[in-house]
Amino acid sequence: LFRSPFYIIRNAWNVINAIDDGKVQGSEQRLKELKGEAMTIMALCQFDLTRCFGYPYTKDKGAGWGAPIVDHAITLDENPPRSTVAKDYEFIINTLEEAIPLMSTSKNNSRMNAYAARALLSRIYLYHDDNEKAFQMASNLIEEVEGNGMYRLYTRDEYIPAWDLKNTFGTESLFEIANSTDDNGGRSSLAYLMHWNGYREIFATQKFVDELLSDPDDIRCLLLEKNVYNKNDVWWLKKWPGTDATTPSFENNYVIFRLSEVYLNAAEAGVKIGGASAVKGLNYLNAIVQRANPVKEVTAAEYTLDRVLEERSKELIGEGHRFFDMLRNGKTIVRKGGYHLPGIVEEIDWDYYKCVLPIPTDQFTFSPDMEQNPGYTKN
């Protein structure tokens, strides 16, 4: 989680420099698009580094240590120091705002385009507590794709089949990582870790299962399957299914940005802003709620941050959001009951030192003065 993003960032700078130095052939427009893609991938990697190794921006306005910023193609003997979280976000946002105008609005499966970059920026504005910008970015994107038909939410009938192994690059998919039989995570992949006939190492929490199954007509209930593990009833998630019900697959695609998240970004920002934004935000929230169950509706009185976070949990389970959604909103993650391991930490908030990862110890060989995160040692 530390080394790989920096490796990608370094390669992104190689691409950008090659374009700027005239070493890449192509039309002026195509070279702009390639540069925009490289910059967006760089921003995504820097964002993941920042939220994994730095405390949430909302805790202290980004005063704490984040990740080193690689703002050029560094040489082998360069070791950038850690930046603050605030400076990280400044770099990420500036990079994306510069990249988006360069990028294509055409759909190019497994490649970034301007819509994917805008989805990422709406997410980052939320993490950075720029709720007005988050709402405008998400709302404008939704209205634009509704108008041009480039993307749309899955219908209720399309929702479960959309996750099938063969149904890649669906109408909601703004950017997904394409895996083939030759280029995949194998038995270390998320799909294999989740699958009941794979490693079966990831289950849904009992609290989540109870909340989702309390409405049996919610279409997302069909993504859960009950089995027995160590004499306990457990539920595993079928978002990344295999070639059939009993065979896990290595080559699942993984969706990084999809339109449902953009609707929920707008819903979260809207409830925080209030006023006209809240009116539109509630409509975006209900688009997700009523896709799941057409007879359900969130009223204005029920439209709260906690209700939006609940819907994000139901809609985005397994896609890597819940932990960060809770922490950046100053919430406490409670892990009690069900089949949690004995002795495990039961409550996590942004004051618990393990809510961020330690800087890997080998970094201090090259940068002995680099700061370690509180609670961890350098050796």
Side-chain angles (χ1 to χ4, degrees), residues 177-194:
I177 296 175
N179 285 311
S180 68
T181 53
D182 297 322
D183 182 15
N184 60 76
R187 287 181 171 83
S188 297
S189 66
L190 181 62
Y192 203 91
L193 290 170
M194 282 191 178

Side-chain angles (χ1 to χ4, degrees), residues 105-107 113 115 140-153 169-174 259 263:
T105 55
S106 299
K107 189 174 183 181
N113 65 10
Y115 293 112
N140 289 345
L141 192 160
I142 292 166
E143 292 177 6
E144 188 171 327
V145 298
E146 283 180 349
N148 63 25
M150 183 77 73
Y151 302 95
R152 62 170 175 80
L153 292 179
F169 309 114
T171 64
E172 275 198 26
S173 178
L174 300 172
L259 196 56
Y263 274 71

